Amino acid sequence: MSANYVRIFDTSLRDGEQAPGASMTSAEKLEVARALARLGVDVIEAGFPAASPDDLAAVQTIAREVGQAPVEGRPQAEPPIVCGLARCTRGDIETAWEGVKGAKHPRIHTFLATSDIHLQHKLRLSRPEVVARATEMVTFARSLCADVEFSPEDAGRSDPEFLYEVLAAVIKAGATTLNIPDTVGYTMPDEYGALIAGIIAHTPGAKDMIISTHCHDDLGLAMANTLAGLRAGARQAEVTVNGIGERAGNASLEELVMALHTRRDKLGLTTGIDTHQLCRVSKLISRSTSYPVPPNKAIVGANAFAHESGIHQDGMIKNAQTYEIMRPEDVGATQTTLVLGKHSGRNAFSKRLAELGYPLEGEALAKAFAEFKKLADRKKSVHDADLVALASDERSSAPELWVLEDLQVACGTTGLPTATVRLRGPDGRKHVHAAVGSGPVDATYKAINAVVRVPVTLLEFAINAVTEGIDALGEVSVRVRHDDARPIHGHGSDTDIIVASAKAYLASLNTVLARTGQTPPAPAEKTVPANVTA
Ligand code: KIV
Ligand code: ZN
């Protein structure tokens, strides 16, 4: 591997998933892992297997499905390394190994804090005890796995001399990558660069190691710090798509990759990422976590290549380079209009979906195609973004226990907003209920609640237009909580935003039911005539 190659370690499925409310289902994690592998990331941190049996199972599935052989379309000939996080304990390390051992290239990533503040208040360990534990646990991890990464947590606030000591000890114990986390996003770029340079210069054995950056964005400096670390000699960067992660998030994958790509004249560093897929993967992560991408987000925001002012537009017409340092097509930001209409065939539809990274087959393809036909009837032009929304609905991991068959809403400036829903239950029977609410969405949710009867708290509700124009497909994301468990999200799309809202809510309830293994209680009364809830 060239000395200027930067390994992209994506931790969207681990640090990213730690963002409040960003939890993903196992099916969503697998879909994200496949997309990351196709994008060309070198390492996928698939999760924290000791966190829960579900997390372990998700990591095992990713190791098996994505880590054994390269997925179709991956730029590299080898599958990515699949990595599992572990605290410095035997139990965590054994569980991480259980998670990743099915991959062709498994990695255990173990961490222990090194800053005095963490030692005194969190770990209650002395410095010699930290050195001893890190050494013992890296040795143990190496007895299981040939590839072991060690992270001194809160390295950014640790005494550099103590860091050199801990890192020298774990190198001797067999660590293969040293990751240097700025866990709380505290350092300034010159400090972080100096920290990496100091580690390489003063830690015995570090010159032969891969040194990695891991920067949080609490002061908005994650990207600047990551670049400073790479310029000082780090050759792995830990990043997340859209910068999701704990608190203010992590350095963002797409920003780093495009900075290295666009400024290779200055930085001279390369990655193995296929930049054309960046926008698509960004949308997938946004949808899977229900974290919207701000319009002004660099690289993947809706306005990243939009030019509003007359002077800029004039420049763009004369030469795009006047105001664009990257070409939108290089990050996959072009919006292709599909010139397929209601007379178009299923083959062309399925081919375009596959090109967009959403290969559908069988029943899912048939249902998506039927939805496409309905959409083509209602909408003048169908864009790629519409297709992605349709395909994602079909590939949604929410099991179809309850299905929305019909929805009628009456609302306006006078009268009570009223919604009537007809749902098909898991037993195949149809249930009709009407409810009034403070608005059409509230009335719809009340009617659904009266039938499905799963107690949840609605934490978040967001509507987005998938494309521009009055006939745009509306995409609704909801986040609900059931029984104090982690929030669950659901999404749905339709040209009618009340229908999209109902689909999203029902998807979240179906996921709750599937997760809790609950058999839905039979509704008190069923079918026509409608019951009305006020
Ligand atoms: O920010 C951090 O310190 C981490 C470690 C577990 C690597 O995420
Ligand atoms: Zn982190």
Side-chain angles (χ1 to χ4, degrees):
M1 200 167 279
S2 139
N4 296 332
Y5 184 82
V6 176
R7 290 148 192 84
I8 297 296
F9 175 120
D10 181 277
T11 182
S12 305
L13 291 169
R14 200 278 298 168
D15 218 329
E17 217 225 358
Q18 285 173 217
S23 63
M24 292 175 244
T25 62
S26 301
E28 283 165 339
K29 287 181 188 176
L30 180 59
E31 183 166 12
V32 166
R34 281 210 181 95
L36 292 171
R38 261 196 307 270
L39 182 66
V41 307
D42 301 274
V43 188
I44 296 177
E45 187 159 54
F48 187 178
S52 75
D54 274 359
D55 286 54
L56 169 60
V59 175
Q60 285 173 322
T61 308
I62 291 169
R64 205 176 44 239
E65 303 281 324
V66 183
Q68 273 177 9
V71 295
E72 209 186 313
R74 176 168 167 79
Q76 295 88 347
E78 283 294 308
I81 293 171
V82 177
C83 172
L85 185 70
R87 286 165 296 192
C88 263
T89 67
R90 278 184 169 260
D92 267 30
I93 291 171
E94 276 163 353
T95 314
W97 177 236
E98 283 309 306
V100 298
K101 70 181 183 194
K104 183 169 179 197
H105 304 296
R107 175 181 292 184
I108 296 174
H109 175 193
T110 188
F111 69 99
L112 186 63
T114 46
S115 67
D116 288 335
I117 195 156
H118 277 235
L119 263 59
Q120 281 161 24
H121 300 285
K122 188 181 86 172
L123 297 177
R124 298 183 202 284
L125 290 177
S126 65
R127 287 186 174 189
E129 284 169 331
V130 165
V131 177
R133 185 179 302 177
T135 308
E136 189 190 337
M137 289 305 130
V138 169
T139 307
F140 177 56
R142 267 309 298 263
S143 73
L144 302 172
C145 183
D147 187 355
V148 173
E149 173 169 325
F150 176 78
S151 287
E153 192 191 6
D154 204 16
R157 291 189 300 171
S158 300
D159 170 5
E161 295 296 332
F162 180 51
L163 268 185
Y164 306 154
E165 188 186 338
V166 177
L167 294 175
V170 297
I171 291 172
K172 268 200 176 154
T176 42
T177 298
L178 304 178
N179 177 45
I180 311 302
D182 182 20
T183 304
V184 290
Y186 178 73
T187 58
M188 295 286 128
D190 59 335
E191 287 172 324
Y192 191 74
L195 182 65
I196 298 289
I199 287 167
I200 295 172
H202 302 299
T203 306
K207 287 192 183 71
D208 303 322
M209 294 280 115
I210 301 296
I211 309 292
S212 171
T213 63
H214 181 111
C215 301
H216 280 270
D217 209 28
D218 299 66
L219 293 174
L221 293 170
M223 245 299 276
N225 285 342
T226 301
L227 282 176
L230 295 177
R231 298 187 82 183
R235 285 296 175 267
Q236 175 178 286
E238 300 200 353
V239 287
T240 59
V241 175
N242 298 340
I244 58 169
E246 282 271 4
R247 306 180 310 280
N250 292 58
S252 108
L253 181 150
E254 61 280 4
E255 291 176 17
L256 178 69
V257 166
M258 287 316 288
L260 297 183
H261 182 80
T262 309
R263 297 310 312 273
R264 51 192 180 276
D265 58 320
K266 180 165 178 69
L267 303 167
L269 299 173
T270 60
T271 72
I273 298 295
D274 172 8
T275 62
H276 302 92
Q277 301 186 35
L278 288 171
C279 280
R280 184 190 331 137
V281 178
S282 158
K283 285 196 179 78
L284 174 66
I285 289 276
S286 169
R287 186 188 301 266
S288 305
T289 56
S290 291
Y291 262 58
V293 176
N296 61 334
K297 166 85 177 62
I299 317 296
V300 292
N303 293 347
F305 295 94
H307 303 273
E308 184 71 26
S309 90
I311 296 173
H312 287 211
Q313 287 176 352
D314 180 54
M316 285 294 296
I317 290 163
K318 289 174 176 147
N319 182 335
Q321 285 183 7
T322 51
Y323 287 101
E324 270 181 7
I325 58 166
M326 295 165 273
R327 295 183 313 167
E329 56 268 34
D330 287 346
V331 301
T334 41
Q335 192 175 77
T336 316
T337 301
L338 189 72
V339 231
L340 296 181
K342 55 184 171 181
H343 303 297
S344 310
R346 180 193 298 234
N347 275 354
F349 172 74
S350 98
K351 186 166 166 278
R352 185 65 194 143
L353 275 184
E355 283 164 5
L356 290 168
Y358 290 85
L360 290 187
E361 286 174 355
E363 206 189 323
L365 175 61
K367 282 172 71 189
F369 187 61
E371 289 301 318
F372 162 71
K373 287 278 185 174
K374 282 192 218 156
L375 185 64
D377 262 343
R378 279 177 278 163
K379 211 168 172 286
K380 264 198 294 213
S381 48
V382 179
H383 296 269
D384 284 349
D386 296 316
L387 292 185
V388 169
L390 287 182
S392 308
D393 276 4
E394 274 329 308
R395 282 171 55 163
S396 147
S397 52
E400 286 207 313
L401 294 170
W402 289 93
V403 178
L404 179 72
E405 285 202 340
D406 204 359
L407 170 63
Q408 297 285 324
V409 177
C411 61
T413 48
T414 50
L416 295 171
T418 308
T420 308
V421 294
R422 189 174 73 226
L423 303 180
R424 181 161 32 84
D427 56 1
R429 286 190 301 170
K430 297 174 195 249
H431 303 268
V432 178
H433 203 101
V436 292
S438 55
V441 174
D442 186 43
T444 303
Y445 284 15
K446 282 193 170 130
I448 292 176
N449 283 342
V451 175
V452 179
R453 303 209 299 160
V454 181
V456 293
T457 311
L458 181 65
L459 304 174
E460 214 173 287
F461 173 88
I463 306 183
N464 258 314
V466 172
T467 49
E468 286 168 10
I470 195 70
D471 57 357
L473 204 56
E475 193 170 41
V476 174
S477 301
V478 299
R479 207 188 301 263
V480 304
R481 194 193 296 279
H482 169 71
D483 267 0
D484 285 342
R486 291 184 81 182
I488 282 177
H489 54 256
H491 34 77
S493 53
D494 201 279
T495 44
D496 181 324
I497 54 168
I498 311 297
V499 175
S501 307
K503 286 183 181 170
Y505 189 56
L506 208 51
S508 70
L509 298 185
N510 280 335
T511 304
V512 171
L513 286 169
R515 272 217 188 153
T516 53
Q518 275 181 41
T519 321
E525 293 181 55
K526 60 178 175 48
T527 62
V528 219
N531 304 302
V532 180
T533 306

